Amino acid sequence: MCRVLQASRSGFYQWLHKPLSNRAIEDLRLLELIRTSYAASQGIYGSPRVFLDLLELGETCGVHRVAKIMKTHRIK
């Protein structure tokens, strides 16, 4: 199967045992913080203000990453 998909065996088994990347896991953690901040603002804040809320909490991420997560999960 690895030959057909042109993937290495080690890469396949790594994917099999850990399907989510570290970045995807971190995005899920940030998503919960984003939803909390968005709900606290009664749905008014956009990505720049949510980003500033995350900075106040001590999170290190970029405004574009927050915007991408919000867009992906349809948080407007």
Side-chain angles (χ1 to χ4, degrees), residues 34-46:
I34 289 169
R35 283 187 174 152
T36 303
S37 173
Y38 187 75
S41 72
Q42 287 109 19
I44 295 173
Y45 283 3

Side-chain angles (χ1 to χ4, degrees), residues 35-70:
R35 283 187 174 152
T36 303
S37 173
Y38 187 75
S41 72
Q42 287 109 19
I44 295 173
Y45 283 3
S47 59
R49 286 190 179 171
V50 170
F51 167 72
L52 292 175
D53 281 350
L54 293 179
L55 281 183
E56 287 179 6
L57 294 174
E59 294 297 322
T60 55
C61 62
V63 67
H64 297 293
R65 186 174 184 184
V66 172
K68 180 190 72 143
I69 293 171
M70 289 179 72

Side-chain angles (χ1 to χ4, degrees), residues 2 6 9 11 13 15 22-23 25-26 31 34-35 41 43-44 46 51-52 56 58-60 64 71 73 75:
C2 289
Q6 296 179 353
R9 284 185 186 177
Y13 284 109
W15 170 82
N22 291 337
R23 186 170 179 94
I25 293 168
E26 181 68 16
L31 175 62
I34 289 169
R35 283 187 174 152
S41 72
I44 295 173
F51 167 72
L52 292 175
E56 287 179 6
E59 294 297 322
T60 55
H64 297 293
K71 185 176 181 180
H73 294 281
I75 302 172

